[in-house]
Amino acid sequence: MAPSWNTPHPSRRCAPIHLLPQGEKGKRSPFVPIFLGERAPSRYLLRVTEQPRLAEQNAAVLLPEPFVKWFGEKGWSPRVHQLELLTKAQSGQSVLLIAPTGAGKTLAGFLPSLTELANRSRRKPGQAHRGIHTLYISPLKALAVDIERNLGKPVEEIGLPVTIETRTGDTPSHKRQRQKLAPPDILLTTPEQLALLIASNDAKRFFEDLRYVVLDELHSLVTSKRGHLLALGLARLRAFVPDLQTIGLSATVAEPDELRRWLVSQASPGAMSELIVVTGGAKPDISILDSEERVPWAGHSARYATPEIYREIKRHKTTLLFVNTRSQAELLFQELWRVNEDTLPIALHHGSLDVAQRRRVEKAMGENALRAIVATSTLDLGIDWGDVDLVVHVGAPKGASRLAQRIGRANHRMDEPSKAILIPANRFEVLECRAALDANYLGAQDTPPLVNGGLDVLAQHVLGCACGAPFHADALFDEVRTAAPYTSLDRPTFDRVIDFVATGGYALRNYERYARIRQTKEGLWRVSNPAVAQQYRLNVGTIIEVPALNVRYVQAGSRGAASRGGRVLGKIEEAFLETLTHGDTFMFAGKILRFEGIRENECFVSNAPGSDAKVPYYGGGKFPLSTYLAEQVRAMLDDPQRWRKLPEQVADWLRFQADKSVLPKRDDLLIETFPRGNRYYLVAYPFEGRLAHQTLGMLLTRRLDRAGAKPVGFVATDYSLAIWSLADMGWMFKNRKPSLATLFDQDMLGDDLEAWFADSWLLKRTFRNCALISGLIEKRHPGKEKSGRQVTISTDLIYDVLRSHEPDHILLQATRTDAATGLLDVSRLAEMLSRIHGRIMHKNLEQISPLAVPIMLEIGKMPVNGEADETLLMDAATLVEEAMGPEMTD
């Protein structure tokens, strides 16, 4: 007798699959049928090469008849890993699936839900609505929308009685309210929406029927504070539904066991989910543009390659062009339209554009109506729209895993190679692109390691739990510790977080506004008043957006006066808009706009002719250079044999450097000093990323100032650091006043770092973020929103109070922890100082070296206070001629 699909979990048992050879005239067929239990011999086919793995596991899988029929009609066969995941899920296990792009991860992740829902009895008229069956969590709103479309098609074709809906920040409030009363079977959402749902007073009822949580692109979720909030949310869901199962999907993972622990409760320390790893797939076809033009020495626009990029667009059906920042996206889009003689349909997509415009672009992509799309990270995760047959990455990828993720958007099929072209924006980026390309072919991954959960995130979660229902501290502490990022949390720290949410801390406890939760006589913690819950829902989440204003059309010359204006184009950072005066022009939403003025929280603009326009800058848009790629770039510089793979003009640059100075060894630090004009320069080449270099620059200038070098300023890039001064630093180092070993000693991370912390705006900025996440400062209020300046003033005042009166405050502790890996990257700097101990190479030169040209062109961007505060502008042609001779001048 065939097993019943109505048997309650986890007692359901399914008939095993039997692999039977099939062939004609003594020949073995490349496919074998799989008979399903004792039912009629409905069958689907698996490739023979996949048989042994499945046979060894004797997988117990049973697909309902409609699924088998659908696969057959499509001429498709379920892949082994899809069936394997289904088997493990049906036996009650949580699973992490690691598979290359195009391997069918999404279908695998939803197969347990769909097969179970297919056999669930239909709801009768008048019967109460069931709760959510499956929760899908995506790092991107666009990805949730994409999944809704792609999953809805097979659900409709199979004829499944399954409802699927999205719930993101873009979902209208009336739809969100309706979803709480009549939930869909499958809800596609984001970590922030999960936090809101958990904070509802009917959260337990809403989630009581939940069976699965599917977490897509898991690697991108878990490495940030969003991941910490999501882990806490999952711990709360497990408290509601103890038998809850999780399914993690990822294509790029450096340490799978970390994610396996993250997926399941850590009530039993070290517990891990099941793991399925899919290997193979076609190797991508990646190349680096060997441009006919000369590669720039510095900059990030890659404007030189625009004609060659356009030619590639014309040669392909659909090209997806990735950049690292929104500014680069706007600039590249304008450059492409400038050369678009064939008026090809080219679109722009990034997070600051209005949601309606983004959805129009996504719809056009799905309909294959576009020839090219310029995008940022808004489209680099799991998106499967249209016939994208080429990915162009403009600028260095900053990480091997990020490159693999983006390349996978082309030919989104496992057995067909993805094609990609890397366009370095400058000469150092050529080296980075080569390192990333080599890493991709080697299958190297460099996703960042997981870190302990943030205390500011925990404070937000504590308040959210109180908004949902009163809680007992003992029970919540035990629950929080089951979340992987918080397994090492100790009770005194947890109690300090509770006290912070209840009082604001010792220095703030006399202010009623910081008393957000109170303890009842029964020992339960509840919100102080309903307004606290309302404020929480307005400010939930860990993504700190730089203060921005809506950009709205008005008639030219109106300055927004007495006019509501036209449609909204999106948002632009407040700090950039404050630099504009009436009549200035800038690029945004793929247009040249004229600035008409600011009124309340809106910037008014009109269309402007011409092309002489500023490019907006955006906060938070830069990726740090990964440790792995940094090491590979250093190794490449140390190995002339690898230069043969570089464009000739870049290899020549390195050969000139070796002739005129020296190239750094893999584990050494090269320091060059030289005079120019009436200034003296120090250029260091740590290759540790912009954030670590920025912190190093701050600390070195303090030390050099004490030594009498009279530093004027410094500038940092991902690859190097330059400091310029009034005193001859080369002479000082030669005479050990100070020595370079003393200057770069690890003790700079002691008193010097603490002294800098005392008045660093970067640390205050980190505190601002922690204060917003923890709920100490609220940006949004009913019907209004604080400006960026108002938020900064509030957080700076509190920061100064806490540093003076409560230096061990829980938020200051969180701030220092964040600084170590965030804006200051102190931990990476510490590793670098340890690596170079006793391995510093000093070249005291008479003039600039070839390797120093790129960083010298950046000089003037970050002055520091000292005895002189001038900054210098460098002429590229003059610098190149000085460093390499007149024949190499651009």
Side-chain angles (χ1 to χ4, degrees):
M1 181 177 178
S4 169
W5 276 83
N6 294 322
T7 305
H9 169 79
S11 62
R12 179 189 310 117
R13 294 293 182 265
C14 304
I17 286 180
H18 303 286
L19 296 176
L20 301 178
Q22 179 187 12
E24 293 182 8
K25 297 181 181 180
K27 294 183 179 179
R28 191 179 184 88
S29 166
F31 297 96
V32 297
I34 294 182
F35 293 90
L36 305 177
E38 297 179 33
R39 291 187 174 186
S42 300
R43 65 194 189 186
Y44 52 85
L45 301 175
L46 291 175
R47 295 187 183 279
V48 168
T49 55
E50 296 177 334
Q51 287 180 35
R53 185 178 179 195
L54 189 59
E56 289 170 6
Q57 296 180 348
N58 193 27
V61 179
L62 183 63
L63 282 178
E65 178 68 25
F67 287 77
V68 178
K69 182 180 178 182
W70 179 75
F71 274 114
E73 290 174 348
K74 293 288 185 180
W76 296 342
S77 303
R79 294 182 183 271
V80 170
H81 59 269
Q82 295 170 335
L83 301 176
E84 188 178 354
L85 191 151
L86 179 57
T87 304
K88 293 180 182 298
Q90 288 175 344
S91 65
Q93 301 173 85
S94 294
V95 186
L96 171 63
L97 171 61
I98 302 175
T101 297
K105 290 190 296 294
T106 302
L107 178 58
F110 281 105
L111 207 51
S113 303
L114 295 177
T115 53
E116 192 167 308
L117 288 167
N119 288 274
R120 188 173 69 171
S121 60
R122 294 179 181 269
R123 187 174 66 88
K124 298 177 181 178
Q127 184 181 355
H129 283 277
R130 297 187 180 97
I132 298 290
H133 178 277
T134 298
L135 196 63
Y136 167 89
I137 308 241
S138 158
L140 297 176
K141 291 181 283 189
L143 182 52
V145 173
D146 179 47
I147 294 297
E148 181 182 28
R149 180 179 62 252
N150 290 338
L151 186 62
K153 188 175 182 180
V155 164
E156 181 182 349
E157 291 174 347
I158 297 173
L160 300 178
V162 176
T163 54
I164 305 170
E165 293 182 6
T166 59
R167 182 187 179 96
T168 71
D170 295 334
T171 304
S173 58
H174 68 85
K175 183 177 179 180
R176 279 184 273 173
Q177 287 300 319
R178 194 261 303 152
Q179 286 173 341
K180 295 183 73 172
L181 298 174
D185 297 312
I186 299 175
L187 184 64
L188 315 173
T189 190
T190 60
E192 293 73 27
Q193 289 299 313
L194 174 60
L196 282 171
L197 290 168
I198 287 173
S200 174
N201 55 19
D202 63 345
K204 191 168 185 178
R205 176 201 61 79
F206 184 78
F207 289 112
E208 64 184 358
D209 294 325
L210 186 63
R211 285 278 291 110
Y212 294 105
V213 178
V214 180
L215 300 124
D216 207 352
E217 306 294 352
L218 184 59
H219 62 280
S220 70
L221 283 170
V222 300
T223 56
S224 66
K225 289 190 176 183
R226 289 184 88 198
H228 302 165
L229 186 64
L230 178 56
L232 291 168
L234 288 176
R236 176 111 290 217
L237 290 179
R238 292 190 193 99
F240 296 155
V241 187
D243 291 333
L244 183 68
Q245 291 173 240
T246 54
I247 298 172
L249 309 175
S250 186
T252 54
V253 179
E255 297 291 341
D257 285 354
E258 289 187 341
L259 270 62
R260 294 173 68 191
R261 284 188 288 270
W262 192 95
L263 277 173
V264 298
S265 169
Q266 293 301 300
S268 298
M272 292 192 289
S273 73
E274 291 293 308
L275 174 65
I276 301 173
V277 179
V278 180
T279 58
K283 288 290 185 182
D285 174 12
I286 314 172
S287 60
I288 299 174
L289 178 69
D290 191 357
S291 178
E292 299 170 1
E293 302 294 327
R294 186 166 292 279
V295 178
W297 295 94
H300 302 282
S301 70
R303 185 183 281 113
Y304 76 97
T306 303
E308 291 160 304
I309 294 173
Y310 183 68
R311 284 199 293 271
E312 292 297 333
I313 292 173
K314 291 173 66 175
R315 290 177 187 149
H316 293 83
K317 293 179 183 176
T318 307
T319 301
L320 191 51
L321 299 108
F322 280 115
V323 294
N324 289 331
T325 69
R326 287 167 280 181
S327 298
Q328 289 173 316
E330 292 283 351
L331 187 59
L332 177 60
F333 181 78
Q334 286 292 333
E335 288 297 310
L336 287 174
W337 270 101
R338 184 176 58 82
V339 299
N340 190 6
E341 299 173 350
D342 303 277
T343 62
L344 301 178
I346 301 174
L348 176 66
H349 193 289
H350 62 70
S352 290
L353 299 178
D354 182 64
V355 62
Q357 180 167 340
R358 296 201 306 269
R359 294 296 175 262
R360 284 194 294 271
V361 172
E362 292 159 13
K363 184 174 184 292
M365 285 177 67
E367 295 171 350
N368 293 316
L370 299 174
R371 292 293 299 277
I373 308 97
V374 179
T376 58
S377 56
T378 52
L379 293 183
D380 70 357
L381 292 174
I383 307 298
D384 186 16
W385 279 315
D387 292 331
V388 176
D389 55 347
L390 176 66
V391 165
V392 174
H393 198 292
V394 180
K398 303 304 172 189
S401 294
R402 180 176 296 110
L403 177 62
Q405 190 74 52
R406 290 181 165 182
I407 287 174
R409 300 311 102 215
N411 288 338
H412 202 215
R413 290 171 287 276
M414 180 179 176
D415 300 323
E416 297 183 20
S418 300
K419 183 178 180 182
I421 301 174
L422 309 185
I423 312 289
N426 58 59
R427 299 198 171 204
F428 271 123
E429 284 197 355
V430 173
L431 305 181
E432 186 184 334
C433 286
R434 183 72 245 178
L437 188 156
D438 292 343
N440 190 276
Y441 285 133
L442 292 172
Q445 302 293 347
D446 55 6
T447 47
L450 305 192
V451 297
N452 289 334
L455 298 179
D456 50 346
V457 179
L458 179 57
Q460 181 182 131
H461 179 70
V462 166
L463 181 57
C465 290
C467 292
F471 66 85
H472 196 287
D474 291 343
L476 186 59
F477 174 67
D478 291 341
E479 177 187 309
V480 165
R481 295 240 307 174
T482 67
Y486 294 91
T487 53
S488 61
L489 178 72
D490 59 70
R491 185 58 190 258
T493 302
F494 177 78
D495 289 339
R496 289 174 63 207
V497 171
I498 294 286
D499 180 67
F500 163 71
V501 181
T503 66
Y506 172 79
L508 302 174
R509 67 176 60 249
N510 291 328
Y511 298 90
E512 184 68 20
R513 60 180 295 189
Y514 300 117
R516 292 171 288 165
I517 59 175
R518 299 184 187 279
Q519 196 168 25
T520 67
K521 294 179 180 179
E522 295 77 20
L524 297 175
W525 290 95
R526 62 169 179 81
V527 291
S528 299
N529 56 71
V532 171
Q534 183 183 31
Q535 284 298 106
Y536 171 84
R537 295 183 181 105
L538 286 172
N539 293 277
V540 72
T542 62
I543 299 175
I544 301 299
E545 297 178 349
V546 177
L549 304 182
N550 282 336
V551 178
R552 187 184 291 277
Y553 268 133
V554 294
Q555 290 183 346
S558 69
R559 301 198 184 198
S563 172
R564 294 182 61 187
R567 67 185 180 93
V568 173
L569 297 177
K571 290 179 178 288
I572 291 187
E573 267 69 348
E574 185 180 289
F576 169 75
L577 294 174
E578 288 175 346
T579 67
L580 303 180
T581 59
H582 181 256
D584 285 350
T585 58
F586 63 94
M587 298 180 189
F588 184 65
K591 308 173 187 299
I592 305 296
L593 303 173
R594 170 189 166 98
F595 178 70
E596 300 290 352
I598 294 175
R599 183 180 179 187
E600 296 178 349
N601 284 331
E602 292 197 319
C603 162
F604 295 100
V605 299
S606 59
N607 280 324
S611 58
D612 184 16
K614 297 181 180 179
V615 179
Y617 51 80
Y618 300 87
K622 296 179 180 178
F623 297 115
L625 176 66
S626 76
T627 302
Y628 176 83
L629 285 190
E631 182 182 355
Q632 292 304 306
V633 170
R634 293 198 305 270
M636 192 179 307
L637 290 172
D638 192 25
D639 184 4
Q641 295 300 317
R642 297 178 65 177
W643 302 354
R644 291 179 296 183
K645 294 182 179 180
L646 300 174
E648 191 61 29
Q649 56 181 298
V650 177
D652 282 344
W653 172 49
L654 299 182
R655 284 189 281 267
F656 268 89
Q657 171 67 19
D659 180 57
K660 294 180 176 292
S661 177
V662 67
L663 282 159
K665 299 294 183 182
R666 181 171 187 160
D667 294 319
D668 293 353
L669 174 65
L670 172 62
I671 303 290
E672 294 179 328
T673 51
F674 50 84
R676 189 175 192 274
N678 59 350
R679 299 289 185 268
Y680 297 89
Y681 297 86
L682 176 157
V683 179
Y685 304 93
F687 296 95
E688 290 293 349
R690 176 178 49 87
L691 297 179
H693 293 172
Q694 213 162 265
T695 301
L696 179 62
M698 292 284 191
L699 297 175
L700 287 178
T701 51
R702 294 178 70 92
R703 291 192 153 196
L704 288 167
D705 201 37
R706 287 203 305 270
K710 303 176 183 177
V712 176
F714 81 90
V715 67
T717 69
D718 270 328
Y719 315 103
S720 56
L721 164 72
I723 299 173
W724 57 102
S725 68
L726 299 178
D728 186 345
M729 291 182 285
W731 180 91
M732 294 173 67
F733 301 149
K734 185 177 180 180
N735 290 276
R736 304 179 66 82
K737 297 182 178 181
S739 69
L740 281 170
T742 300
L743 185 66
F744 283 86
D745 193 275
Q746 290 173 273
D747 63 5
M748 76 165 65
L749 300 182
D751 292 343
D752 279 327
L753 184 62
E754 285 300 318
W756 178 47
F757 271 1
D759 54 5
S760 168
W761 65 270
L762 281 173
L763 199 66
K764 284 189 174 183
R765 195 162 117 200
T766 304
F767 177 81
R768 174 184 181 274
N769 294 347
C770 289
L772 286 168
I773 290 172
S774 69
L776 183 69
I777 296 295
E778 294 157 336
K779 181 177 175 62
R780 298 180 185 87
H781 298 263
K784 60 181 180 180
E785 183 171 324
K786 283 185 179 179
S787 69
R789 183 177 289 107
Q790 288 171 323
V791 170
T792 299
I793 291 172
S794 299
T795 55
D796 283 359
L797 287 173
I798 294 175
Y799 175 81
D800 292 336
V801 168
L802 294 181
R803 283 199 68 255
S804 299
H805 301 287
E806 194 179 355
D808 62 343
H809 190 277
I810 197 76
L811 270 199
L812 291 181
Q813 179 181 334
T815 299
R816 291 190 181 94
T817 301
D818 280 5
T821 56
L823 287 172
L824 309 182
D825 214 352
V826 174
S827 59
R828 188 162 173 183
L829 177 57
E831 292 172 4
M832 186 272 287
L833 293 175
S834 176
R835 170 175 62 83
I836 66 168
H837 181 68
R839 304 183 64 96
I840 299 178
M841 305 166 58
H842 177 213
K843 292 291 290 184
N844 192 23
L845 306 173
E846 295 297 323
Q847 61 186 33
I848 180 176
S849 75
L851 208 61
V853 170
I855 188 72
M856 292 290 283
L857 290 172
E858 299 284 345
I859 280 183
K861 292 185 178 180
M862 190 179 293
V864 296
N865 295 325
E867 294 190 21
D869 59 3
E870 301 175 19
T871 58
L872 306 175
L873 294 177
M874 300 291 180
D875 176 69
T878 302
L879 280 177
V880 174
E881 183 173 350
E882 288 178 17
M884 301 179 67
E887 70 277 8
M888 295 298 295
T889 305
D890 282 325

